[in-house]
Amino acid sequence: MSESPFPRDPEAPDPAPDPDPGPAPDPVEPPRPPAYTPGSVQPRLNRPLHERYPQIRPTSGYGDPRIRHTGPGPGAGVEQEPERSAKLTARLVLALSVVVGQLWGLTIVVNEWMSGDTGTAWWGAGFLVLSFLVVLGLWLLDPKDR
């Protein structure tokens, strides 16, 4: 059995032999666990975080002088025009409900057309055109919102 619980890193330099190996370990005493839990087969990757990334300091993120701006400016995420937002939301809900109606109407029209009832299918196609014109009218309602 090897001395270390980790396999030897092939890229690491050869360790110098210890001139005084010291007393033999007590066979009853279990071996000590490593200082940190290994996550990789390569021991050089199992070093503690501060050894792997020396540029990351404990103060990185709030005390680091290299960081000038930490995020969006003041007022970010606050609604500036709630009336406009409410108006756009209402128009969006109307448009989406018309689109759902168009999909339902398209299903009815295709079913009628495939069953051979073309008169009802043409009335349904007229409904689809009319609902499209409603959505177009909602879009043209307020040109400054585009």
Side-chain angles (χ1 to χ4, degrees):
M1 184 170 160
S2 69
E3 297 174 19
S4 173
F6 303 108
R8 188 175 178 291
D9 184 6
E11 297 177 15
D14 290 331
D18 190 11
D20 182 24
D26 187 11
V28 178
E29 181 183 330
R32 291 187 203 163
Y36 40 83
T37 306
S40 174
V41 176
Q42 301 178 17
R44 64 187 175 84
L45 300 177
N46 294 324
R47 296 177 294 163
L49 186 67
H50 66 275
E51 289 180 15
R52 282 184 286 161
Y53 303 104
Q55 72 272 20
I56 298 177
R57 297 188 294 276
T59 59
S60 288
Y62 64 89
D64 196 339
R66 297 174 291 176
I67 297 177
R68 299 275 185 253
H69 304 288
T70 59
V78 178
E79 183 59 56
Q80 302 296 325
E81 298 179 61
E83 294 85 10
R84 180 174 180 265
S85 175
K87 181 172 58 172
L88 291 176
T89 302
R91 285 172 47 194
L92 181 66
V93 167
L94 284 172
L96 288 175
S97 63
V98 169
V99 167
V100 168
Q102 284 179 328
L103 290 173
W104 172 76
L106 184 62
T107 304
I108 300 293
V109 166
V110 169
N111 284 339
E112 293 298 320
W113 184 269
M114 296 302 278
S115 67
D117 190 3
T118 56
T120 307
W122 283 112
W123 279 107
F127 167 77
L128 293 177
V129 169
L130 181 65
S131 62
F132 174 75
L133 292 176
V134 167
V135 172
L136 190 61
L138 288 172
W139 182 72
L140 291 173
L141 196 62
D142 200 0
K144 70 178 175 117
D145 281 336
R146 282 181 250 128

